[in-house]
């Protein structure tokens, strides 16, 4: 591997480590998504609400970051462990 390839690979790996996902802990209907791409999220902030068996579950962020992509859609079904959104950690 050339020096340039190694530097690009290392840079790629460092960026990937900071990108995280918020996944659904249960299967259910996505009722509300509070964030869009580019929005900031704070630790323990509600980012979505999922309905499962007539119970509404608040999905919260685990750390501060910036949303890069929202994959779930409101009023659509999401599987258990389905990705709701992706974000980049801010440190």
């Amino acid at each position: 591997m050339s020096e340039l390839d190694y530097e690009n690979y290392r840079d790629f790996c460092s960026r990937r480590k900071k990108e995280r996902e918020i996944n659904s802990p249960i299967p259910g209907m996505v009722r509300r998504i509070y964030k869009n791409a580019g929005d900031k999220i704070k630790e323990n902030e509600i980012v979505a609400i999922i309905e499962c068996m007539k119970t509404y579950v608040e999905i919260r962020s685990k750390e501060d970051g910036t949303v890069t992509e929202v994959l779930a859609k409101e009023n659509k079904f999401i599987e258990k462990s389905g990705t709701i959104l992706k974000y980049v950690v801010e440190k």
Side-chain angles (χ1 to χ4, degrees), residues 22-28 48-50 52 57-60 62 78-84:
I22 296 178
N23 298 315
S24 176
I26 55 171
I49 294 185
I50 296 177
C52 179
V57 178
E58 296 176 342
I59 308 301
R60 295 178 178 268
K62 294 182 180 176
I78 190 165
E79 296 286 336
K80 180 178 181 180
S81 301
T83 303
I84 298 169

Side-chain angles (χ1 to χ4, degrees), residues 5 17 38 47-48 60:
D5 291 338
K17 285 182 184 177
V47 295
R60 295 178 178 268

Side-chain angles (χ1 to χ4, degrees), residues 65-81:
T66 302
V67 177
T68 56
E69 186 177 6
V70 178
L71 300 170
K73 306 281 188 223
E74 288 185 3
N75 298 315
K76 298 287 183 184
F77 186 81
I78 190 165
E79 296 286 336
K80 180 178 181 180
S81 301

Side-chain angles (χ1 to χ4, degrees), residues 1-16:
M1 185 181 292
S2 71
E3 185 70 29
L4 181 58
D5 291 338
Y6 178 74
E7 289 298 316
N8 287 339
Y9 177 74
R10 192 174 66 177
D11 184 51
F12 171 77
C13 288
S14 68
R15 283 195 316 261
R16 294 295 295 169

Side-chain angles (χ1 to χ4, degrees), residues 22-35:
I22 296 178
N23 298 315
S24 176
I26 55 171
M29 188 69 65
V30 178
R31 289 299 177 195
R32 183 80 165 100
I33 297 177
Y34 292 102
K35 297 296 177 179

